[in-house]
Amino acid sequence: GNSVTQMEGPVTLSEEAFLTINCTYTATGYPSLFWYVQYPGEGLQLLLKATKADDKGSNKGFEATYRKETTSFHLEKGSVQVSDSAVYFCALSETGNQFYFGTGTSLTVIP
Amino acid sequence: SQTIHQWPATLVQPVGSPLSLECTVEGTSNPNLYWYRQAAGRGLQLLFYSVGIGQISSEVPQNLSASRPQDRQFILSSKKLLLSDSGFYLCASTSTGLYTDTQYFGPGTRLTVL
């Protein structure tokens, strides 16, 4: 079946530090992969996505590359800001009907 | 892109009372619609999804129900709330058709059952 595993949090970083949040997936076919971000008290917002192997999704300084050989879609940012403090969810969808989410990784960036 | 509205934004209800949460979608037609619950500090739990008017699939047995009376309206209900129903309820939508596989979320409803 389909599933997503992402690194346990919480993660605490100093401002301008490098961020990596690991995400690996299991899928029977060729899924699209997503990262969503949830700020406190809000719904999820799409951060970036990739629809096929070797695609790189990017937005707001965040990047993730679809690695089929390692079934991974790790989220990275070179220099985090306090405003990046949020919960980050990795997700996949094969059909566009069913979505599978990881458990979320909480990030806190301190000045 | 789509816009998803949810109301109310927050709700405090006593145990045993009924519940009705509403979700409406703008900017698309014939979407797939979803209800998720997020317990404090936890991930997303899919409760229901719908591929069309009157078509509801339940993912988890519980005392909640869902209905889709119109194409872009999705309602989550309960006849008698339990303490364990407390959480953050999110409505989501995806467009149907080719090349449209992104899921969009509403702002959520914070439900506290006392």
Side-chain angles (χ1 to χ4, degrees):
Chain A
N2 296 331
S3 67
V4 174
T5 302
Q6 60 182 106
M7 66 185 284
E8 294 285 333
V11 174
T12 302
L13 294 173
S14 298
E15 207 165 21
E16 300 184 2
F18 184 85
L19 168 70
T20 300
I21 301 178
N22 291 335
C23 171
T24 57
Y25 68 90
T26 302
T28 53
Y30 303 95
S32 294
L33 301 175
F34 307 83
W35 277 101
Y36 285 85
V37 59
Q38 184 180 33
Y39 298 103
E42 299 183 7
L44 277 68
Q45 301 174 25
L46 178 67
L47 181 58
L48 54 85
K49 71 176 186 180
T51 57
K52 61 183 188 297
D54 300 326
D55 270 2
K56 178 185 284 187
S58 61
N59 186 25
K60 299 180 182 179
F62 291 90
E63 294 184 340
T65 302
Y66 190 141
R67 302 284 188 201
K68 192 172 186 297
E69 63 277 12
T70 55
T71 61
S72 64
F73 193 55
H74 304 323
L75 182 69
E76 296 181 337
K77 186 175 185 183
S79 176
V80 294
Q81 305 301 312
V82 172
S83 57
D84 294 326
S85 298
V87 180
Y88 293 81
F89 291 90
C90 185
L92 72 81
S93 177
E94 282 197 81
T95 65
N97 288 335
Q98 288 274 36
F99 285 74
Y100 300 84
F101 287 84
T103 53
T105 301
S106 174
L107 170 66
T108 301
V109 180
I110 54 178
Chain B
S1 64
Q2 306 170 29
T3 301
I4 301 169
H5 303 280
Q6 288 187 243
W7 64 91
T10 60
L11 191 59
V12 180
Q13 292 285 97
V15 169
S17 63
L19 174 73
S20 180
L21 303 182
E22 189 162 346
C23 168
T24 58
V25 181
E26 294 179 354
T28 187
S29 57
N30 193 30
N32 294 333
L33 298 176
Y34 306 78
W35 279 112
Y36 291 90
R37 177 168 59 202
Q38 187 178 26
R42 305 285 292 277
L44 299 174
Q45 179 187 31
L46 178 63
L47 302 175
F48 301 95
Y49 74 93
S50 170
V51 299
I53 295 174
Q55 300 178 64
I56 309 294
S57 296
S58 174
E59 292 296 303
V60 181
Q62 60 228 323
N63 69 321
L64 300 172
S65 62
S67 61
R68 185 170 176 175
Q70 300 180 41
D71 180 45
R72 289 172 289 176
Q73 184 184 29
F74 204 24
I75 297 172
L76 182 69
S77 303
S78 174
K79 292 182 179 178
K80 287 186 177 182
L81 284 168
L82 307 173
L83 285 174
S84 58
D85 292 323
S86 293
F88 192 49
Y89 288 82
L90 291 162
C91 179
S93 169
T94 59
S95 296
T96 53
L98 291 176
Y99 313 121
T100 53
D101 62 354
T102 299
Q103 194 160 68
Y104 297 93
F105 285 81
T109 295
R110 173 78 59 193
L111 172 65
T112 303
V113 182
L114 301 175

